[in-house]
């Protein structure tokens, strides 16, 4: 199985540095252009994909629809396991506001209500188990979110859980007898013409 992992395109909150979490913020015009650039890249590559699955949040669903439409492949029903980490009370805040309210340890401050790494990793592992069983020889594109994706990559391959993944980044992993192997990581070459 090959799994192409995509972080959704840019939103207005991304541009402002506001954490979105499970708050449903749509793509902005730049995010839609970014999705079309990746879709065009994928359409021109030799690798063929069987389907696209996304989180149910509109920024991921819109990104996935643009890609599925361009590639002429099915857009599967939204997958609840792919939803972004819940950031609790921190959603909608900027870095400055987070630091002022919860300090440097805002990610682990119990009063902030942020979903734990362990919880996110359990969801990621459940998604991987489900889809490798469903599509053992398939090639699936999954559109999800930055914080979730960082944890998911760490579940798949040790050391890939880096803290920042760019909007509209593309990673490809292949599943075999030895587990997951990274073929491409956090690639944004398709965005060069608009960066």
């Amino acid at each position: 199985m090959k799994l192409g992992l995509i972080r959704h395109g840019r939103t207005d909150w991304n541009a402002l540095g506001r954490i979105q979490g499970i708050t449903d913020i749509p793509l902005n015009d730049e995010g839609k252009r970014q999705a079309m650039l990746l879709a065009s890249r994928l359409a021109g590559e030799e690798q063929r994909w069987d389907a696209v699955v996304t989180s149910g949040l509109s920024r991921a669903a819109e990104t996935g629809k643009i890609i599925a439409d361009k590639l002429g492949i099915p857009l599967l029903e939204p997958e609840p396991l792919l939803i972004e980490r819940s950031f609790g009370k921190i959603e909608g805040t900027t870095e400055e506001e987070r630091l002022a309210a919860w300090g440097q340890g805002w990610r682990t401050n119990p009063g902030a209500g942020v979903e734990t790494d362990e919880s996110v990793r359990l969801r990621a592992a459940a998604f991987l188990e489900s889809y490798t069983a469903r599509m053992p020889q398939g090639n699936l594109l999954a559109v999800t979110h930055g914080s979730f994706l960082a944890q998911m990559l760490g579940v798949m391959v040790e050391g890939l859980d880096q803290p920042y993944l760019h909007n509209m980044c593309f990673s490809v992993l292949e599943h075999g007898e030895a587990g997951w192997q990274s073929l491409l990581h956090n690639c944004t070459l398709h965005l060069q013409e608009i960066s």
Side-chain angles (χ1 to χ4, degrees):
M1 176 185 195
K2 280 190 181 161
L3 185 58
L5 297 175
I6 300 164
R7 183 180 176 202
H8 62 79
R10 198 162 173 84
T11 69
D12 287 343
W13 276 23
N14 287 141
L16 296 170
R18 294 193 181 281
I19 284 200
Q20 294 168 114
I22 59 173
T23 305
D24 199 5
I25 306 298
L27 293 180
N28 61 19
D29 288 343
E30 180 184 358
K32 291 173 187 173
R33 281 194 306 276
Q34 289 176 332
M36 186 50 79
L37 286 169
L38 178 57
S40 295
R41 170 187 172 173
L42 295 175
E45 291 181 346
E46 190 175 313
Q47 172 68 54
R48 291 293 163 232
W49 299 96
D50 300 320
V52 180
V53 65
T54 74
S55 134
L57 294 173
S58 62
R59 58 194 183 267
E62 287 178 75
T63 300
K65 181 171 180 1
I66 290 167
I67 292 168
D69 286 351
K70 176 74 175 177
L71 299 181
I73 60 176
L75 178 63
L76 305 180
E77 286 296 312
E79 173 52 67
L81 292 169
L82 290 176
I83 199 164
E84 177 60 298
R85 176 197 305 259
S86 171
F87 280 94
K89 296 176 184 173
I90 286 170
E91 293 187 15
T93 64
T94 63
E95 180 75 8
E96 185 179 18
E97 291 166 341
R98 290 188 287 279
L99 291 173
W102 293 281
Q104 289 288 346
W106 60 265
R107 283 186 182 272
T108 55
N109 185 320
V114 177
E115 183 181 4
T116 65
D117 286 354
E118 180 184 10
S119 171
V120 176
R121 284 179 174 242
L122 286 171
R123 285 196 288 117
F127 169 81
L128 293 168
E129 184 178 340
S130 172
Y131 280 83
T132 52
R134 274 194 226 183
M135 302 177 70
Q137 304 300 319
N139 297 315
L140 179 68
L141 293 168
V143 184
T144 184
H145 307 270
S147 186
F148 176 85
L149 192 51
Q151 294 301 316
M152 183 175 188
L153 286 163
V155 166
M156 297 169 85
V157 178
E158 189 174 339
L160 280 190
D161 54 344
Q162 65 187 63
Y164 187 76
L165 297 164
H166 301 281
N167 280 111
M168 219 58 235
C169 69
F170 181 51
S171 301
V172 179
L173 295 99
E174 186 170 35
H175 189 260
E177 289 180 16
W180 290 99
Q181 177 185 358
S182 175
L183 305 179
L184 182 70
H185 181 63
N186 199 15
C187 182
T188 56
L189 289 175
H190 45 281
L191 301 181
Q192 287 185 348
E193 74 178 65
I194 64 164
S195 30

